[in-house]
Amino acid sequence: MTTKKESTKKADAPKPKKEKKILFEAVKENSTPKHVIIGALSLAGLLKQYRYEESVYGKEDIEPSITDDELEKIIKKFIN
């Protein structure tokens, strides 16, 4: 019986928050070809933000705005 209660507790436990990244870094770390990512960002209305972050990266502090999962969803939506 103890194992049943323990498994229920694990299922009810809150999921850890995904770490947000700077859009430019998230794109840089993604393995999808860059031209596909650029198209996906354009469709999602994030291309202007990406270009801005690209131009100031390393010069100014940029607030993290996207998780890897969110970027993957944007790319999958563009591909499909």
Side-chain angles (χ1 to χ4, degrees), residues 14-32:
K15 294 180 182 177
K17 253 188 167 178
K18 298 286 182 176
E19 181 183 331
K20 287 198 172 207
K21 297 182 178 182
I22 296 169
L23 180 59
F24 179 73
E25 289 177 347
V27 168
K28 196 160 82 171
E29 294 172 2
N30 197 294
S31 62
T32 306

Side-chain angles (χ1 to χ4, degrees), residues 60-78:
E60 296 180 16
D61 288 336
I62 305 170
E63 187 173 326
S65 59
I66 195 166
T67 64
D68 289 329
D69 291 342
E70 292 169 335
L71 182 59
E72 284 297 324
K73 286 178 185 177
I74 290 169
I75 294 168
K76 285 179 183 176
K77 185 177 179 181
F78 175 72

Side-chain angles (χ1 to χ4, degrees), residues 4-17:
K4 193 172 187 180
K5 286 183 181 180
E6 287 176 7
S7 64
T8 307
K9 287 180 183 179
K10 289 179 184 178
D12 294 340
K15 294 180 182 177
K17 253 188 167 178

Side-chain angles (χ1 to χ4, degrees), residues 51-66:
R51 294 291 185 207
Y52 169 75
E53 289 183 8
E54 183 179 39
S55 69
V56 300
Y57 184 74
K59 300 173 191 169
E60 296 180 16
D61 288 336
I62 305 170
E63 187 173 326
S65 59
I66 195 166

Side-chain angles (χ1 to χ4, degrees), residues 33-45 47 74-75 78-79:
K34 191 170 180 178
H35 66 277
V36 174
I37 295 173
I38 296 298
L41 293 175
S42 178
L43 183 67
L47 186 57
I74 290 169
I75 294 168
F78 175 72
I79 292 173

